[in-house]
Amino acid sequence: MNNQLSLKSLILGGLLLLPALLVAQQKGTVANPYILNATDSTVIWGNYWSENEPVLKIKSGDYVKVHTLLTSNPERLEEAGVPLDEVEEELRQVQKVTERGPGGHVLNGPIYIEGAEPGDVLEVKIKSISLAIPYGYNAIGQNGFLSDEIFERKMRIIRLDTVKMIGHFSEGIEIPLYPFFGSMGVAPPKEAGRWNSAPPWVHGGNMDNKELTEGSSLFIPVFVKGALFEVGDGHAAQGNGEVDITAIETSLKGKLQFIVHKDKKLDWPMAETDTHIITMGFDRDLTEATHIALREMIKYLMEEKSMTREDAYMLCSIAVDMAITQLVDGNVGVHAMLPNNIFVGKK
């Protein structure tokens, strides 16, 4: 009899514990996010493409914790003065990847978001970003904005203070750090083929928008089933323009949440921070990129604030800042910044 009671108690106790166990094991929650580290089997080297095989499948609303790698190689970092034991083992491991290009960025992904279909909008909430290593680098590249005037090629290692959040550029020069992922995007339209990871476009990608820090949200139009999101190109700090073709390039860790919107329509990426609505434009021509960003802001004001086209245009001239995102990646970038605080008493 005691044995029967004991068995019954174990069964009932197990059943009572089962729901709690399932909750504890559920992946993709804020407390238990998916983990996507950079390995030779979880990165795409140098492209966004509709044919890339996803390395992770998630649902709308899920959280993913990522560890992305800087765009360089161990030998170059060591030659520039990084100690052997400070070069990430993950960076050594991804050198095994042989299928590369046409660009040079090491990107985690793709992540397949269930339910995302062409015509939808993918929101990427940037919940947290932290520095993964105590240094970054800046290097003058051959495709810098003044590459036909400044011919020297050099790399500078910049030590990062994760407590004070400053980068030590040189004696007497300290750079405030505001980490962000330079590249976040989805697969472009299928007809675009294997898209070089350098030029940003309608799919996002290498936008180099320094406003996309912790707490911001990025909205990207979806072009293929599952969206196929990729992320990388970590920056500790960057000036608008990124004129020598690099920022403070570094490895980052971050937590992202993915939400599929069926009721939104976008032609170009846009973003929202605590203080601003941001529309973006990318093109080989700086004037055309500016046209796109401005038109997208006018469209936002018409659709979200019920303004006429003419009134929206006037408001942009009074209150919206047009800023150069970057000048060096084939397609240049412009972003329009609308301050939220001008809308008094309105949501």
Side-chain angles (χ1 to χ4, degrees), residues 152-182:
E152 184 178 2
R153 302 290 174 255
K154 64 181 293 186
M155 176 186 280
R156 179 191 294 268
I157 300 301
I158 299 170
R159 304 303 300 187
L160 307 178
D161 186 326
T162 59
V163 177
K164 295 180 180 178
M165 288 302 286
I166 57 171
H168 183 71
F169 181 81
S170 64
E171 189 64 33
I173 301 178
E174 295 180 342
I175 309 298
L177 303 182
Y178 301 96
F180 70 98
F181 296 104

Side-chain angles (χ1 to χ4, degrees), residues 13-14 22 51 56 65 100 104-105 112 129 151 187 192 229 243 257-258 266-267 297 320 329 331 344-345:
L22 289 174
E51 303 306 309
L56 177 64
K65 199 170 184 179
R100 304 183 182 187
H105 300 94
Y112 182 104
I129 304 179
F151 301 103
F229 177 86
V243 292
Q257 184 186 22
F258 298 86
L266 282 180
D267 295 316
M297 183 58 75
V320 171
D329 291 316
N331 283 346
V344 181

Side-chain angles (χ1 to χ4, degrees), residues 70-86:
L70 49 68
T71 300
S72 188
N73 61 63
E75 293 74 25
R76 193 174 180 210
L77 292 173
E78 290 161 10
E79 287 172 6
V82 177
L84 288 174
D85 62 354
E86 285 192 0

Side-chain angles (χ1 to χ4, degrees), residues 8-19:
K8 186 176 181 181
S9 298
L10 283 170
I11 292 171
L12 287 173
L15 290 173
L16 288 171
L17 287 171
L18 187 58

Side-chain angles (χ1 to χ4, degrees), residues 110-270:
I111 299 172
Y112 182 104
I113 299 93
E114 292 182 13
E117 299 284 348
D120 295 341
V121 171
L122 178 65
E123 178 182 3
V124 184
K125 287 182 174 287
I126 303 160
K127 308 301 285 189
S128 67
I129 304 179
S130 61
L131 301 169
I133 53 178
Y135 63 89
Y137 75 86
N138 182 266
I140 300 174
Q142 64 181 4
N143 294 319
F145 195 62
L146 295 180
S147 60
D148 57 345
E149 299 178 24
I150 299 174
F151 301 103
E152 184 178 2
R153 302 290 174 255
K154 64 181 293 186
M155 176 186 280
R156 179 191 294 268
I157 300 301
I158 299 170
R159 304 303 300 187
L160 307 178
D161 186 326
T162 59
V163 177
K164 295 180 180 178
M165 288 302 286
I166 57 171
H168 183 71
F169 181 81
S170 64
E171 189 64 33
I173 301 178
E174 295 180 342
I175 309 298
L177 303 182
Y178 301 96
F180 70 98
F181 296 104
S183 194
M184 292 186 287
V186 298
K190 289 187 177 182
E191 57 268 28
R194 189 170 176 151
W195 187 267
N196 188 317
S197 64
W201 193 39
V202 291
H203 69 296
N206 191 36
M207 297 174 290
D208 289 324
N209 191 324
K210 70 175 187 176
E211 305 299 330
L212 299 180
T213 55
E214 180 176 299
S216 62
S217 287
L218 171 66
F219 299 85
I220 322 171
V222 174
F223 299 99
V224 303
K225 188 173 182 179
L228 299 182
F229 177 86
E230 298 174 20
V231 59
D233 190 31
H235 294 166
Q238 178 199 293
N240 278 334
E242 199 189 22
V243 292
D244 77 356
I245 209 169
T246 57
I248 299 182
E249 308 287 329
T250 194
S251 299
L252 296 178
K253 293 182 179 180
K255 185 186 287 187
L256 310 175
Q257 184 186 22
F258 298 86
I259 300 171
V260 176
H261 293 279
K262 298 287 186 181
D263 57 344
K264 290 181 180 289
K265 300 296 175 188
L266 282 180
D267 295 316
W268 292 85
M270 66 174 295

Side-chain angles (χ1 to χ4, degrees), residues 250-301:
T250 194
S251 299
L252 296 178
K253 293 182 179 180
K255 185 186 287 187
L256 310 175
Q257 184 186 22
F258 298 86
I259 300 171
V260 176
H261 293 279
K262 298 287 186 181
D263 57 344
K264 290 181 180 289
K265 300 296 175 188
L266 282 180
D267 295 316
W268 292 85
M270 66 174 295
E272 185 172 355
T273 71
D274 288 341
T275 58
H276 288 80
I277 298 295
I278 304 170
T279 56
M280 298 177 236
F282 308 104
D283 194 87
R284 288 193 171 275
D285 181 77
L286 184 60
T287 299
E288 183 53 31
T290 308
H291 283 157
I292 294 167
L294 179 56
R295 289 190 195 110
E296 291 299 300
M297 183 58 75
I298 290 171
K299 185 169 72 173
Y300 169 83
L301 289 168

